[in-house]
Amino acid sequence: MLIEFRVAIDPEIAALVTAQQRELREADGGLDGQATETHDGIRYLAVVVNGRAVACGGLQSLDAEIGEIKRMYVRPAYRGRGIARQLLAALEELAYQRGHSTIRLETGTYLPAAIGLYTSCGYQPIPTYGEYVGNPYSVCFAKRLPVPA
């Protein structure tokens, strides 16, 4: 397994984001407005197994202090192998390298596996923020990153 940078227009990243959005629409039971467009400025990491990207996640800077995890997704056939946990750690490291002291993310209330992953990795619930304010299906989390020595 390899974790590498990919550009947002990479065909494998685009395919993973499309699959994620399709799965979210199925999981949310047809809730209006749950799938959002890909944002500019996201730095993507891809998890590559046997030459194929099987997972992705992105980091978007909200400001100098805060980074936001976007588009975490692992293809169903590769779940249960710890890939999401390793990808999340790599995204946290990227945020740390970019000087962020806090990392935030949003997920759906209808995604208990995602919520379980984030809480088990030290993320704490926070009030909704930004585009998620007022969305009853959004739940947001944050984690303080270590202070540089």
Side-chain angles (χ1 to χ4, degrees):
M1 182 181 83
L2 172 70
I3 299 178
E4 63 185 22
F5 284 104
R6 295 282 182 97
V7 295
I9 59 171
D10 179 273
E12 286 189 299
I13 292 294
L16 288 165
V17 169
T18 298
Q20 180 218 32
Q21 293 299 292
R22 186 179 321 108
E23 193 170 320
L24 284 176
R25 283 191 300 276
E26 292 169 4
D28 72 15
L31 300 172
D32 187 37
Q34 293 306 296
T36 58
E37 296 299 316
T38 301
H39 297 215
D40 292 333
I42 297 176
R43 299 278 317 259
Y44 280 97
L45 296 179
V47 176
V48 180
V49 176
N50 297 324
R52 178 177 182 227
V54 300
C56 70
L59 177 70
Q60 177 175 295
S61 293
L62 297 180
D63 61 33
E65 298 289 319
I66 301 171
E68 182 181 25
I69 300 288
K70 305 292 281 185
R71 304 288 182 231
M72 281 279 298
Y73 182 72
V74 178
R75 289 194 182 278
Y78 292 87
R79 293 180 186 161
R81 302 180 189 187
I83 289 173
R85 191 172 299 277
Q86 291 179 56
L87 177 58
L88 186 58
L91 288 164
E92 290 172 359
E93 178 61 27
L94 176 60
Y96 178 81
Q97 290 171 2
R98 296 187 81 189
H100 297 304
S101 60
T102 302
I103 197 160
R104 290 183 182 172
L105 59 89
E106 180 272 348
T107 193
T109 56
Y110 48 87
L111 298 171
I115 293 168
L117 169 69
Y118 299 132
T119 57
S120 73
C121 289
Y123 286 78
Q124 300 295 316
I126 61 169
T128 54
Y129 60 91
E131 66 189 278
Y132 313 114
V133 172
N135 184 334
Y137 307 106
S138 287
V139 60
C140 296
F141 295 90
K143 182 177 182 178
R144 296 277 305 160
L145 297 174
V147 177

